Amino acid sequence: MKRFFIGLVATALLLLGVLFVAPGLVPSETYKARMEEQLSRMLGRDVALQGEVSLSTFPAIRARTGQATVANPPGFDREDMITLESLEARIRLLPLLSRRVEIAQFTLLEPDIYLARLPDGRANWDFASDGADAGAERDPAEPVEAFRRDGRFSAFQPSVDSLRIQDGRLSFQDAVSGRSHLLANIDVRIALPDMAQTLDIDGSLSADGTPVTVDLVLDNPRAFLDGREAPLKGSVEAAGVEARVDGTVAESPDMVFNGNVSGRLTDRARIEEWLPEPVSGLELVDEVNVSAAVSYDGSTGAARFE
């Protein structure tokens, strides 16, 4: 028994020693370069990290940088598409012993994300157009091309073991449709190990002032972007509203969805908003539950509920 405890203590001391020594085997600039490389691949655009990298070993090995920015293409009214107050990465321990930096999780702290589409149809999230002609002017009379699942995003190959957004903000402005939205207080986890695996998004945020929780699972993002069949399910909950969807994005270059939806309304004011005309006796209703088969055709914008 005594030898067992001695062995246990020795093993614990060895692990602690490895935990302290392993991060020092790799120069700090290597951490920074690896974080820039992986985050750039994840976002599809070059990322520049500012300041030195600080390391901590408890409760896990983490590397943290100062502010970071992701630039906008030419022609947009903001210089940066994304700004981060700081960036944190959780580092795997064992690869450090071979002086390799492998990142298990990114955390974006206080990101400010700006998504915009100009009157000529150019969008700053369209990474495929970041080539030499990205700043070329377009004829405003030319129709704006809709989103198509036709393989044009084949070069987009992000890989996200785990991406966490804390206290984020996302503003959206579309000069074509005139719409604008603001998502604030974003606390979301995104997992996408590979484009052929499952995309999983869950968390909470405020959508134009309304608190919302979301849970979305897309079975195969690569199949979805290439126009092939892809299962999709998710749920959204807000004040007085719960909605769930479960179905399949059909094989098509357009967004064609077939599946089932269910909803629960417990806020009488929201029930009234969903009614085409006033209904007498609504004050007696506390809850409305609905379920339907739904089909949506993105080429026409038509949705059908049964």
Side-chain angles (χ1 to χ4, degrees):
M1 182 64 69
K2 182 177 180 181
R3 290 183 179 179
F4 170 76
F5 281 111
I6 293 176
L8 187 62
V9 171
T11 301
L13 291 175
L14 178 61
L15 291 175
L16 286 174
V18 169
L19 193 61
F20 279 108
V21 172
L25 298 176
V26 180
S28 61
E29 283 300 313
T30 303
Y31 290 100
K32 185 175 182 180
R34 185 72 179 99
M35 292 166 70
E36 287 179 334
E37 174 191 344
Q38 190 160 333
L39 197 59
S40 296
R41 181 163 56 90
M42 184 187 303
L43 298 176
R45 188 165 292 163
D46 289 342
V47 175
L49 303 181
Q50 302 174 12
E52 297 295 326
V53 174
S54 60
L55 296 174
S56 61
T57 55
F58 283 102
I61 299 177
R62 299 184 185 273
R64 185 165 179 163
T65 71
Q67 293 183 340
T69 58
V70 180
N72 256 326
F76 289 84
D77 58 3
R78 272 180 46 169
E79 181 179 356
D80 296 315
M81 176 183 175
I82 303 174
T83 61
L84 303 173
E85 188 62 31
S86 63
L87 171 68
E88 185 175 278
R90 185 164 60 85
I91 310 297
R92 292 190 174 96
L93 173 62
L94 293 181
L96 285 178
L97 300 177
S98 301
R99 302 191 178 186
R100 290 184 292 110
V101 177
E102 292 188 8
I103 299 172
Q105 174 182 301
F106 272 112
T107 300
L108 311 185
L109 303 173
E110 299 182 38
D112 186 353
I113 305 168
Y114 170 68
L115 301 181
R117 184 160 65 166
L118 301 179
D120 65 4
R122 283 186 294 137
N124 65 346
W125 64 82
D126 185 3
F127 299 150
S129 66
D130 283 356
D133 62 342
E137 294 187 1
R138 298 184 185 183
D139 183 357
E142 181 181 345
V144 176
E145 189 175 7
F147 169 74
R148 301 278 288 175
R149 303 168 53 225
D150 54 6
R152 69 185 60 190
F153 298 99
S154 59
F156 187 50
Q157 296 285 352
S159 175
V160 187
D161 283 354
S162 180
L163 174 66
R164 179 81 180 274
I165 298 176
Q166 288 186 346
D167 197 16
R169 182 178 187 273
L170 185 151
S171 57
F172 171 78
Q173 296 181 352
D174 187 349
V176 175
S177 65
R179 293 181 301 159
S180 64
H181 299 282
L182 175 63
L183 307 183
N185 305 318
I186 301 173
D187 190 348
V188 172
R189 183 191 65 87
I190 303 172
L192 177 58
D194 184 87
M195 285 293 286
Q197 297 186 38
T198 301
L199 167 64
D200 191 349
I201 303 174
D202 67 86
S204 62
L205 51 89
S206 171
D208 294 328
T210 301
V212 177
T213 60
V214 297
D215 187 359
L216 174 67
V217 178
L218 177 62
D219 189 63
N220 190 324
R222 174 52 57 209
F224 171 79
L225 292 175
D226 290 347
R228 293 179 281 122
E229 184 177 287
L232 172 67
K233 64 179 179 180
S235 64
V236 177
E237 296 184 13
V241 179
E242 299 176 14
R244 287 174 172 76
V245 62
D246 188 353
T248 301
V249 181
E251 183 172 352
S252 169
D254 298 302
M255 183 65 180
V256 176
F257 177 81
N258 298 291
N260 298 290
V261 295
S262 61
R264 178 171 175 263
L265 303 176
T266 57
D267 184 332
R268 188 172 294 114
R270 289 190 176 272
I271 295 174
E272 292 175 343
E273 290 177 5
W274 282 66
L275 295 175
E277 57 185 36
V279 175
S280 61
L282 187 62
E283 65 275 6
L284 302 177
V285 177
D286 291 325
E287 180 177 310
V288 173
N289 289 276
V290 296
S291 61
V294 60
S295 60
Y296 172 76
D297 187 344
S299 63
T300 62
R304 181 179 179 181
F305 295 86
E306 296 182 353

